Structure formats: structure tokens, C-alpha cells
Amino acid sequence: MKRLIALLFLLAGCGIKANPGVLKDPEVEIRRIGKKVYVRSLFGEVQIKGFERQGDYWVKEEERPFCFVVERIGEGSKKFCVGGALEEKPSLKISEGEAFVEVYPSNFEAYRLYNLRDSSLSLENAKTFRESISLERDYWERCYAITGIRGNVESQPVEFCVKPKQPPTVSEVDGLEIREGKQALYLVWFYEQDYREFVIYRDGKEIGRTTGFAFETELPKEKTTFTVKVVSPLGFESKGRSVDYSP
């Protein structure tokens, strides 16, 4: 019986032990756009020597072909190589209308449109197209960049801006009048449209803002002009309506 128990312990101790986990190589997305190379990790955190971290991407400016090593933190590393930058870039023909701008690029079979933010490409939500693209004009200036696509390489971006369309007219306040108190002056008015706030000026200088239909200020000692401007929900100001006060 003792021999049987000893044999069972011996067999239990001879089980196959698991091998250590295999280090995982980094998996990345690589994009050559003009002179810059953008690398984004698809899984886990990585480090790339010689690159600069910009948001989700590692970026390096180098127009010649080169190789680099991506290290997945706590895991393995892998070498990648990219070709050189394209020398050719798109030519743009832009036709401006009141509501839309039509852009007609040439020199490539396919193109990619990027929004520009602080003079940098916004790589998210880029639009790929072939012959032309239509851009809706906004009340604010919008800037873009277009690259030409050849294989899996994009050309140097060509930047341009779309001028804003004419802002909407903001209607003025109604019934603006002055009501004088013993120690203060009151401006009152009414307004029936949607608005963000009202801005009050005294002889052309801003003295306050309010979301109500009245504003209190100190009694002037000399003739004064008060102006009330409306700020629309989009942030545009009306020309203003004025009223004079004489002590």
C-alpha cells in the first residue's frame, strides 16, 4: 500500500509544465503622408525611438526610405521599413459658390481629404475620393489638405482654406428705453427671437453682458450713449440699438 501511494506522488510530480508565454510582436498601422511617417499601435502601448508622440500616433519627418523598430511595452519588438516620399503632389482647381466649394484635383487617380487643426492633419474621418469633392461653406473659415494616393503612399499635402459665407443678420432688441432711479440708471428692452446674451456698451465701450431684459448701471454725470447688441445662438452680434441719456 505504501509503495502504491509513493508511486502516485511520483506520477503527479512528473506532469508536463507549461512553457512561458510567447512575447507578442507589435501590430501597427503605418502611413506615409508626404515627408512624414505616422505609426499607430493597433494593440497595446508601444515605443518607437526617433519618433515623436502626437496623440494616438508616433510621427517622424523623413523623406528618404528608412527602417525603424517598434517595441511593444512588456512584450516583443519588430522592425519595419518604409519607402521614400513622393515627389509629385496634386494640383487643385477650386470653384467657389455661395453655399458650396467644388475642388478638382489632378495628377493622381485617387485623393484623400483631411481637416486641418492648428495647421496639423486630422487623420480621423479623412475622406477618400477620385475626381472631385464638394465642401459646404460654413459661417467660419475651414482649412483642409488634400493628398494624392499612389499605392499605399500619400503625397505631400496641398493645403487650402474655404472662406466663410455671409453670416446671418441678427435682429435688434425692441423697445429699448432708459428708466432713471435715484441712484442708478436702468436700461430695459424686450426680444422675441432666440439669443445667447445681450452686450451693453457705454459710449462704444463694453460695460457688461446679461441674459435678461434689463441692465443696471451708475448714473452718468454727462450726456451718454448706451447701446445694446444681441448675440445670436451661433455667436454673431447684431449692429446694435442705441439710446441717449442726458442728466
Side-chain angles (χ1 to χ4, degrees):
M1 184 66 177
K2 291 182 179 180
R3 290 182 178 180
L4 178 60
I5 294 174
L7 179 60
L8 291 175
F9 274 107
L10 179 62
L11 292 174
C14 293
I16 299 175
K17 296 182 179 179
N19 291 329
V22 178
L23 296 179
K24 297 180 180 179
D25 288 340
E27 296 183 41
V28 296
E29 171 195 15
I30 301 174
R31 301 173 68 174
R32 157 73 81 177
I33 303 177
K35 298 179 181 180
K36 293 184 178 181
V37 173
Y38 298 81
V39 181
R40 181 173 67 92
S41 174
L42 300 178
F43 300 99
E45 288 292 324
V46 299
Q47 288 183 337
I48 312 175
K49 188 176 180 180
F51 281 65
E52 178 185 353
R53 184 70 179 265
Q54 296 180 7
D56 293 334
Y57 288 85
W58 291 84
V59 184
K60 181 175 182 177
E61 184 170 341
E62 174 58 73
E63 58 184 320
R64 297 172 299 179
F66 70 98
C67 296
F68 56 94
V69 175
V70 179
E71 178 185 355
R72 185 171 177 179
I73 298 177
E75 298 286 350
S77 60
K78 188 175 181 180
K79 182 179 179 180
F80 297 89
C81 295
V82 293
L86 295 175
E87 294 184 2
E88 192 177 10
K89 59 183 180 181
S91 296
L92 303 183
K93 178 182 177 182
I94 300 176
S95 177
E96 296 188 8
E98 291 187 7
F100 291 88
V101 170
E102 301 291 337
V103 184
Y104 302 90
S106 57
N107 300 337
F108 292 82
E109 291 186 359
Y111 306 89
R112 191 160 287 146
L113 174 78
Y114 295 92
N115 290 310
L116 282 179
R117 295 179 182 173
D118 299 326
S119 300
S120 297
L121 297 182
S122 177
L123 300 183
E124 297 78 14
N125 302 319
K127 296 180 180 179
T128 303
F129 65 100
R130 288 192 173 273
E131 296 180 354
S132 65
I133 191 167
S134 180
L135 303 173
E136 186 175 3
R137 296 181 67 181
D138 203 343
Y139 292 121
W140 297 270
E141 183 179 68
R142 303 293 186 188
C143 294
Y144 305 89
I146 287 181
T147 62
I149 303 173
R150 187 164 292 157
N152 60 352
V153 178
E154 296 181 48
S155 72
Q156 187 71 13
V158 178
E159 300 179 3
F160 65 98
C161 294
V162 175
K163 297 178 181 179
K165 61 183 178 181
Q166 188 69 24
T169 301
V170 182
S171 59
E172 305 293 352
V173 299
D174 292 315
L176 177 62
E177 62 179 70
I178 293 175
R179 295 179 184 177
E180 186 175 351
K182 291 183 178 180
Q183 298 180 347
L185 198 70
Y186 301 91
L187 299 171
V188 295
W189 62 88
F190 61 91
Y191 195 73
E192 296 182 350
Q193 307 295 323
D194 292 334
Y195 67 94
R196 180 185 295 179
E197 61 182 349
F198 302 100
V199 187
I200 295 85
Y201 295 84
R202 178 173 178 167
D203 290 333
K205 183 179 180 180
E206 182 181 332
I207 59 173
R209 294 173 179 245
T210 181
T211 56
F213 296 156
F215 185 81
E216 179 183 344
T217 185
E218 61 184 13
L219 282 168
K221 296 180 180 179
E222 55 187 18
K223 184 178 179 180
T224 304
T225 298
F226 292 96
T227 303
V228 178
K229 294 185 179 182
V230 182
V231 180
S232 73
L234 292 176
F236 296 105
E237 277 192 5
S238 68
K239 293 182 178 180
R241 181 153 288 170
S242 300
V243 62
D244 293 329
Y245 170 78
S246 296

